[in-house]
Amino acid sequence: YIENGEMNLSEIGKIAHQYFSEIPDHFPFVKLGAFVIMPNHVHGIIIIDKKPVETQNFGSLHVPLNIPIHQPPKTKNKFGPQSQNLGSIVRGFKTGVKKFATMHKINFIWQPKFHDHIIRNKPEYNRIKKYILNNPANWDDDKFYNL
């Protein structure tokens, strides 16, 4: 429920808040924008602040003679290390919260996926930040409120 304009969080909600705020401790290239833990979902801005990953030069790709042609050679992932992307950040957060819930026998399950959106400019950032910060005040109108 809402108290003084903020969500009054359950035990698992408090852990989710703590663990979300600690994301930069585990991923030093991450900065956090606005975020809010709701009873049945999380909204947050995750800023990934690191140099872009170079893409592979596929023109230089060749098949060594000792490998049959139907087996492509092992190459690096063209998107860079998959341990330092948004998916790994969200996966780490969700894993931590779920592990806490399991260890403390709290009935809790995450939705298997997450929705992401790239914020492209300052006005869009400000609009999304305002939406996140106002989300608790709109909780009574949430279509999933009674689930």
Side-chain angles (χ1 to χ4, degrees):
Y1 66 91
I2 300 172
E3 185 176 289
N4 298 325
E6 292 188 19
M7 295 304 300
N8 187 3
L9 299 174
S10 64
E11 181 181 13
I12 199 69
K14 290 174 184 173
I15 291 300
H17 187 277
Q18 176 187 336
Y19 287 10
F20 197 93
S21 66
E22 292 173 354
I23 289 173
D25 297 341
H26 303 280
F27 298 92
F29 55 89
V30 167
K31 296 177 183 170
L32 297 178
F35 73 93
V36 64
I37 308 299
M38 300 294 290
N40 63 355
H41 63 282
V42 176
H43 289 288
I45 297 174
I46 295 175
I47 303 160
I48 298 177
D49 186 21
K50 64 180 182 175
K51 294 178 183 174
V53 176
E54 289 184 30
T55 58
Q56 258 186 326
N57 179 358
F58 288 102
S60 65
L61 189 64
H62 68 280
V63 179
L65 294 176
N66 62 346
I67 298 178
I69 197 71
H70 65 276
Q71 292 181 352
K74 290 188 178 187
T75 59
K76 288 184 179 180
N77 184 311
K78 70 178 181 174
F79 300 109
Q82 297 303 292
S83 62
Q84 295 186 354
N85 61 15
L86 181 61
S88 66
I89 295 165
V90 173
R91 187 171 49 252
F93 164 68
K94 289 170 77 171
T95 298
V97 175
K98 177 61 178 170
K99 188 174 183 177
F100 178 91
T102 301
M103 289 172 46
H104 292 87
K105 296 180 178 29
I106 298 170
N107 185 17
F108 179 80
I109 188 166
W110 283 112
Q111 172 183 326
K113 298 181 181 179
F114 65 94
H115 173 78
D116 62 337
H117 173 81
I118 297 172
I119 300 173
R120 301 201 181 272
N121 55 49
K122 191 69 170 173
E124 187 176 13
Y125 178 91
N126 289 332
R127 179 183 58 79
I128 292 169
K129 177 182 174 183
K130 182 178 177 182
Y131 173 82
I132 290 170
L133 296 175
N134 289 330
N135 211 255
N138 298 321
W139 175 241
D140 289 340
D141 298 326
D142 190 287
K143 65 182 178 180
F144 300 112
Y145 173 66
N146 291 318
L147 293 180

